[in-house]
Amino acid sequence: MGSTKDINTLNLPVLGMSCAGCAQSVEQSLTKLVGVEEAAVNYANQSLKITYNPKYIKPELLQKAVQDAGYDLILDDHDGAAKQEELQQQNYKDLKRRLIYAAALTLPIVIIGMFMMNLPYANYIMFVLSTPVLFFFGQSFFSNAYKQALHGRANMDTLVALSTGTAYIFSTFNTFYPSFWHERGLHPHVYFEAAAVVIVFIMLGKVLESGAKANTSTAIKKLMGLQPKTLILIEAGTEREINIDQVKPGDVVLVRPGQQVPVDGQLLEGSSYVDESMITGEPVAVAKRKDDRVFAGTINQKGSFRMIAAKVGSETMLAQIIRLVQEAQGSKAPIQKLVDKIAGIFVPVVLGIALLTFLLWMVLGGDNALTQGILAMVTVLVIACPCALGLATPTALMVGIGKGAEHGILIKNAEALELGLKVNALIFDKTGTITEGTPEVSKLYYLEHAKAQEAELNEVLLALEKQSEHPLAGAIVQFLQPLGTENIRIEDFQSVTGQGISGSYHGRKYFVGNRKLLQENNISLDVALVEQETSLQEAAQTLIYFADAQQLLGFACIADQIKSNSAAAIAALKRQHIELYMLTGDNEQTAAAVAREVGLEHFKANMLPEDKASFVQVLQGQGKTVAMIGDGINDSQALALADFSIAMGKGSDIAIDVANITLVRSDLMQVPRALQLSKQTVKTIRQNLFWAFIYNLIGIPIAAGILYPSYGFLLNPMIAGAAMALSSVSVVANSLRLKLVKL
């Protein structure tokens, strides 16, 4: 259908869905269009994620296909979510108002139907009261069912309309033509109260469900609420308030105490403490001074400062987090795809069961076969509505992903949450993951024969390391620059992967790197230096050698501090019974020293990027589900191969891009929290699905009358309606319990 460059992805709000079957209908109406690659509808947050080829498809065509199926799309990608929320609020208020009126009319119907059947004209009174309950206040069930029938589909509204409509028509016939039954020696029963009460209970369930579902997305609403609408722009020394969408990169912005930082940027002037908790999950305010980075949505505390706007609008970290969370909440876990298939055939199967129930009653029911057959058929149709089934997975995912966002754990998609449960082996990179990733030179030492040339050698070393991309090279550059060395020109510069660099100056060849680089170029180390090297490396110091073509000139000792909570995080992961490994390009002794300090038994040193990727495959070959956590370009290959990948938020863009989960705060304690969140979310999904399935497995046979031959018990449609509404609310309430889980 075209290359990936020809593919667009949109997240659009959907209107008019009332159950998981509706979501299936919307998906089916879109996937049959030529040019649509994938369509995934999330019933819980009423959204569509669609991937399509713009050569064949325009958004307006998508909207028409959805409208033809009886629903609608909001195409405004700038403010679509706000419009959807406004419409949902209107519908919610309208539903509550209709529920109150319907309940007011239904109450006397119930009283007459259960306690005052001998009242004169009782059936006529119930007929008059129940008619507006069904066909005015409950008309949406019938109109939606009709729209579905026009397209050869059935959903929850079909079940409600058929059940209550059948009960109403049967009761109306018995009210106006009682003689039909009297002539046959039977009493004409009416079920107006059952039809009205079912409508009221299902409307009540929808009201409660809507309120509960709104709570599942509070995390994303909080994040969206952090986006300021205006900011103070400084131009030619004057302050001017402008709308946020007018600011451009490079503009100077003033942020006063208590204000939200409007865009991403760097401090130009002033200092303050900034609360970054909504982005990082870290409750302690962070000190900010000149040149420090600040992010949109964070809250300035005491001081005021001027900043230079760097990223604005959809480019800010907050906007990207919101987009990522919305996409993740709209995605489907593998288990949800199975549930959707079941929901897609569920309503037709229930219609079949209801018809079979009626036929069996007609054959085996005796004198009251028709009356009880209709009653049982109505009850089956009422109790079997698949709302709970459709809500079980997406509501838990929305709460879980939202909770992760609140704690600075960004989950790329629903599949990532499900995978996290299976992880039993975890690989760490060392630099920037277990350690701070900001190595510093603790000592630069020149051998006796090179000390006379120290100034010139510093210039050569600085010029060489400036051209290197290795993080340790940055530490040497930072150490040498304050010494005021001059810029000199290096010729024949070469980078040797996993070993170091080389280059020439005034016809003399120089090498900077590890011992392997020296060995490859036949440069020897004396015995005393080898002993010193070992002791330094055992103290977690990394040695970088500096040599010319004939001999070693000196070496730099570089230390990378271990993060304060790395040991605690590793201990927490061990308690989760996960095998832990550390892979590093550093030498054996330094790797051993770091592993010893943080409590890791398994580690591998001198690992190239391809070696890390190979090790992931080795563990996978042993049947393990492998997680990889890293922060650099050199980790991206292993991250992409791992079953479950975690990127540190301060890492490279490519590492973040391939990861299933990104930790906004580069804190290893977030790793056990992320895996704990995964386990709790999947546990909640399984609980929800269990109760949704059990409810239907038990409820449908009882509704059909399986207990009647032995116990004389036949389930009343009113009780069935209450049970159906309660099942949906209980599933959403169980999902909301995730908010209380301590990570």
Side-chain angles (χ1 to χ4, degrees), residues 245-275:
D245 54 8
Q246 292 177 268
V247 71
K248 302 183 294 296
D251 284 347
V252 178
V253 176
L254 175 66
V255 183
R256 294 194 174 112
Q259 288 184 337
Q260 290 172 325
V261 177
V263 292
D264 290 2
Q266 282 184 299
L267 259 68
L268 180 67
E269 186 182 303
S271 63
S272 184
Y273 282 86
V274 176
D275 178 359

Side-chain angles (χ1 to χ4, degrees), residues 300-505:
N300 182 29
Q301 294 198 328
K302 294 183 179 176
S304 67
F305 56 83
R306 295 184 180 194
M307 61 176 286
I308 298 175
K311 291 183 179 179
V312 301
S314 61
E315 297 300 310
T316 66
M317 179 186 274
L318 178 63
Q320 289 172 353
I321 288 173
I322 290 169
R323 187 162 59 249
L324 186 64
V325 174
Q326 284 176 325
E327 286 179 3
Q329 288 186 334
S331 65
K332 289 189 179 181
I335 196 169
Q336 175 66 20
K337 290 169 185 173
L338 174 64
V339 172
D340 282 352
K341 284 181 183 175
I342 294 169
I345 61 168
F346 190 81
V347 173
V349 168
V350 168
L351 291 174
I353 292 171
L355 183 60
L356 180 63
T357 299
F358 176 72
L359 294 174
L360 286 172
W361 272 100
M362 290 300 293
V363 173
L364 306 171
D367 292 342
N368 292 318
L370 181 62
T371 300
Q372 290 178 321
I374 287 175
L375 189 65
M377 181 177 72
V378 166
T379 309
V380 167
L381 291 169
V382 169
I383 205 164
C385 290
C387 293
L389 203 59
L391 290 166
T393 304
T395 52
L397 288 173
M398 286 172 69
V399 177
I401 289 166
K403 187 176 180 70
E406 286 179 352
H407 285 78
I409 300 166
L410 298 185
I411 298 153
K412 184 174 279 186
N413 51 42
E415 189 174 2
L417 267 180
E418 216 172 305
L419 277 169
L421 179 74
K422 301 172 185 174
V423 169
N424 52 19
L426 176 61
I427 298 170
F428 296 95
D429 173 48
K430 177 178 77 71
T431 306
T433 303
I434 291 176
T435 65
E436 293 287 356
T438 51
E440 295 178 355
V441 175
S442 56
K443 183 179 182 182
L444 178 58
Y445 179 80
Y446 284 103
L447 301 184
E448 202 62 44
H449 60 81
K451 282 186 177 176
Q453 301 171 281
E454 186 171 331
E456 183 184 337
L457 291 174
N458 279 345
E459 290 177 4
V460 174
L461 180 58
L462 177 61
L464 282 163
E465 291 289 48
K466 273 185 175 179
Q467 295 188 54
S468 173
E469 294 179 353
H470 197 282
L472 295 183
I476 293 174
V477 170
Q478 196 171 12
F479 181 79
L480 287 175
Q481 270 184 327
L483 301 179
T485 49
E486 297 177 12
N487 289 326
I488 63 172
R489 182 181 174 82
I490 296 292
E491 296 172 343
D492 302 325
F493 179 84
Q494 283 187 317
S495 178
V496 185
T497 305
Q499 295 182 27
I501 56 174
S502 66
S504 299
Y505 176 62

Side-chain angles (χ1 to χ4, degrees), residues 623-651:
K624 294 182 171 68
T625 301
V626 182
M628 169 77 190
I629 175 165
D631 72 331
I633 293 170
N634 63 326
D635 300 319
S636 55
Q637 191 179 348
L639 284 167
L641 278 172
D643 301 297
F644 186 82
S645 49
I646 305 169
M648 305 301 272
K650 291 179 182 175

Side-chain angles (χ1 to χ4, degrees), residues 411-694:
I411 298 153
K412 184 174 279 186
N413 51 42
E415 189 174 2
L417 267 180
E418 216 172 305
L419 277 169
L421 179 74
K422 301 172 185 174
V423 169
N424 52 19
L426 176 61
I427 298 170
F428 296 95
D429 173 48
K430 177 178 77 71
T431 306
T433 303
I434 291 176
T435 65
E436 293 287 356
T438 51
E440 295 178 355
V441 175
S442 56
K443 183 179 182 182
L444 178 58
Y445 179 80
Y446 284 103
L447 301 184
E448 202 62 44
H449 60 81
K451 282 186 177 176
Q453 301 171 281
E454 186 171 331
E456 183 184 337
L457 291 174
N458 279 345
E459 290 177 4
V460 174
L461 180 58
L462 177 61
L464 282 163
E465 291 289 48
K466 273 185 175 179
Q467 295 188 54
S468 173
E469 294 179 353
H470 197 282
L472 295 183
I476 293 174
V477 170
Q478 196 171 12
F479 181 79
L480 287 175
Q481 270 184 327
L483 301 179
T485 49
E486 297 177 12
N487 289 326
I488 63 172
R489 182 181 174 82
I490 296 292
E491 296 172 343
D492 302 325
F493 179 84
Q494 283 187 317
S495 178
V496 185
T497 305
Q499 295 182 27
I501 56 174
S502 66
S504 299
Y505 176 62
H506 286 178
R508 188 178 175 188
K509 185 88 168 179
Y510 292 95
F511 300 92
V512 184
N514 58 21
R515 192 201 286 199
K516 192 172 182 182
L517 182 69
L518 301 188
Q519 289 170 343
E520 291 283 328
N521 291 280
N522 301 313
I523 302 164
S524 61
L525 296 173
D526 70 39
V527 177
L529 191 59
V530 170
E531 289 174 2
Q532 188 179 7
E533 175 191 45
T534 304
S535 63
L536 285 166
Q537 288 173 342
E538 285 174 355
Q541 299 258 2
T542 300
L543 265 65
I544 300 296
Y545 296 106
F546 182 28
D548 61 17
Q550 284 76 42
Q551 59 188 342
L552 182 67
L553 301 171
F555 58 88
C557 300
I558 299 178
D560 186 4
Q561 293 298 314
I562 293 170
K563 290 179 180 176
S564 58
N565 54 11
S566 289
I570 285 162
L573 288 164
K574 283 181 177 178
R575 288 194 293 273
Q576 293 184 16
H577 307 293
I578 296 170
E579 287 182 23
L580 305 176
Y581 302 84
M582 181 183 78
L583 306 183
T584 178
D586 215 333
N587 62 76
E588 188 81 21
Q589 288 87 353
T590 303
V594 171
R596 189 168 54 249
E597 191 165 337
V598 297
L600 276 171
E601 289 83 28
H602 309 293
F603 67 90
K604 285 186 175 291
N606 301 307
M607 298 286 279
L608 301 174
E610 54 267 31
D611 297 329
K612 293 180 182 181
S614 297
F615 187 72
V616 169
Q617 291 174 313
V618 167
L619 292 179
Q620 288 170 332
Q622 295 170 5
K624 294 182 171 68
T625 301
V626 182
M628 169 77 190
I629 175 165
D631 72 331
I633 293 170
N634 63 326
D635 300 319
S636 55
Q637 191 179 348
L639 284 167
L641 278 172
D643 301 297
F644 186 82
S645 49
I646 305 169
M648 305 301 272
K650 291 179 182 175
S652 69
D653 289 345
I654 190 167
I656 292 168
D657 191 50
V658 300
N660 298 109
I661 286 181
T662 299
L663 308 179
V664 177
R665 190 164 83 247
S666 290
D667 174 1
L668 266 194
M669 277 306 293
Q670 296 290 74
V671 179
R673 287 177 189 139
L675 295 178
Q676 174 71 3
L677 176 65
S678 171
K679 287 173 184 174
Q680 290 295 335
T681 305
V682 175
K683 180 181 174 185
T684 303
I685 289 170
R686 288 176 177 173
Q687 288 170 348
N688 287 350
L689 288 173
F690 173 79
W691 289 114
F693 277 114
I694 284 293

Side-chain angles (χ1 to χ4, degrees), residues 214-219 399 403 735-742:
N215 268 327
T216 63
S217 57
T218 51
V399 177
K403 187 176 180 70
S735 295
L736 288 171
R737 284 194 316 116
L738 264 175
K739 289 189 171 189
L740 306 175
V741 171
K742 188 175 180 182

